[in-house]
Amino acid sequence: MTANEERYDASARPAVRVELGERSYDIRFYWDEPRALVRDLALFCREGAFVVSNPTIWALHGAAFESALAEAGLRYAVELIGDGERFKTLDTAARLYDRLIAERFTRGACIVAFGGGVVGDVAGFVAATFMRGVAFVQVPTTVVAMVDSAVGGKTGVDHPRGKNLIGAFWQPRLVAVDLAYLRTLDQHNLRGGFAEVIKYGMIADAEFFAWLEANLERALALEPESLRHVVRRSCEIKAQVVGADERESGLRAILNYGHTFAHAIESCGQYRERQFHGQAVAIGMVAAAETALRMGMFSRAEAERQRALIERAALPTRVPAELAAQDLLDRMYSDKKVAAGRLRFVLPVRIGEVTLRSDVPPELILDVLRNLGAQ
Ligand SMILES: NC(=O)c1ccc[n+]([C@@H]2O[C@H](COP(=O)([O-])OP(=O)(O)OC[C@H]3O[C@@H](n4cnc5c(N)ncnc54)[C@H](O)[C@@H]3O)[C@@H](O)[C@H]2O)c1
Ligand SMILES: [Zn+2]
């Protein structure tokens, strides 16, 4: 243990509090500090830690994490699941239950998700259901997991007929974010995650959006202070929205800004691969802004500011030319969330504020999509 770590005081560490009554928890930040992180999560592990990760992440960061676990004197087991959305299944969950039982974990178990959104969603689902629910800690390693999936308590697995059809709300006891993990993340996933970051500025915080305009490149280059501001502010916004609407009855819908278009784009063409989610959201936000513009509720100047920021993140702003506007519109109507045949869009009013609208004419949507490059 270094002198520096001996002086470590968990209460002094910057944290974001997610306020959910007795289910409240902290999001804590670290920079290349596996020992401090493990010491914090050990507080929730009465019976030991059951760590879920995947071979890609574990090859990069497993050794340091494991020696921190050993040093903390914690009983632990590590189970690796396959890398990729196709492993976010009940079969994978079943394997995790088998291992938990084989290792004789009981109700005092703490499940630690060490990875991106796939690991977090399936490990969280197992935590929600094993022994009717055990402690859960998220250690997110992608931008998407840090700013989105690790915060908010949605867990689940996919079904052959659709994504996230099986799941549970289950809040973590701690989200421990070591930003240095992002140093090994590829540019595609890094930038895709920044689409969600830009989304937070658009839906809730004009000042944060302006900060991104001034500092985007520094954050993308993983300059620690800038990166911490980006992830922290994004978490705060998500935490605030989730705190006000834990079970998604109303306000939480604003988190879907750009996503109605994105889901349609994702269900067609090259974007079908789930790895393009952030890229599809980027196009979706441009489409939402254009829609709002035509509805007379948003300004051209602000739509251009959004587009410029998305372009600087090297994210796409046009609909792939092989997609047909009518197909995309049909997909939007067939989405499971369409209530009574009325499409509901999250549209910007100004940068930092969005509103829900279910009165957008379908012809206007078709026109927006064609103008952005669809057939
Ligand atoms: N629960 C929620 O609220 C919520 C919200 C958003 C997304 N999600 C889910 O999250 C999933 C997407 O998450 P994701 O984008 O993190 O994808 P992911 O978990 O598939 O990770 C992306 C890739 O990066 C690799 N990786 C992870 N961390 C790394 C690191 N530090 N260095 C190098 N490589 C690393 C992974 O092995 C994977 O190949 C989807 O299943 C989606 O449904 C859930
Ligand atoms: Zn998203």
Side-chain angles (χ1 to χ4, degrees), residues 148 196 259 277 281:
D148 194 354
E196 306 283 358
H259 282 62
H277 177 68
V281 168

Side-chain angles (χ1 to χ4, degrees), residues 287 290-291 294 363-372:
E290 292 298 317
T291 303
R294 283 163 194 248
E363 309 75 50
L364 191 153
I365 302 295
L366 287 173
D367 211 41
V368 163
L369 290 168
R370 291 195 181 110
N371 263 292
L372 289 175

Side-chain angles (χ1 to χ4, degrees), residues 144 148 196 199 255-256 259 263 274 277-278 281:
V144 165
D148 194 354
E196 306 283 358
K199 178 190 81 176
L255 297 169
N256 285 329
H259 282 62
H263 291 149
R274 184 66 201 179
H277 177 68
V281 168

Side-chain angles (χ1 to χ4, degrees), residues 192-272:
F194 268 72
E196 306 283 358
V197 168
I198 294 170
K199 178 190 81 176
Y200 289 120
M202 285 299 297
I203 65 174
D205 190 347
E207 206 177 297
F208 180 47
F209 189 93
W211 185 94
L212 287 170
E213 289 180 308
N215 297 283
L216 182 73
E217 285 73 18
R218 264 190 285 279
L220 282 169
L222 309 185
E223 192 272 300
E225 281 312 307
S226 307
L227 189 60
R228 188 167 74 182
H229 184 69
V230 160
V231 176
R232 190 194 164 93
R233 189 65 199 121
S234 299
C235 285
E236 279 169 359
I237 293 168
K238 177 138 190 201
Q240 214 177 344
V241 174
V242 168
D245 179 20
E246 187 181 4
R247 297 280 173 134
E248 195 163 18
S249 43
L251 180 67
R252 202 163 168 158
I254 71 171
L255 297 169
N256 285 329
Y257 175 57
H259 282 62
T260 302
F261 289 103
H263 291 149
I265 291 167
E266 281 180 299
S267 65
C268 313
Q270 63 167 116
Y271 284 78
R272 191 164 305 178

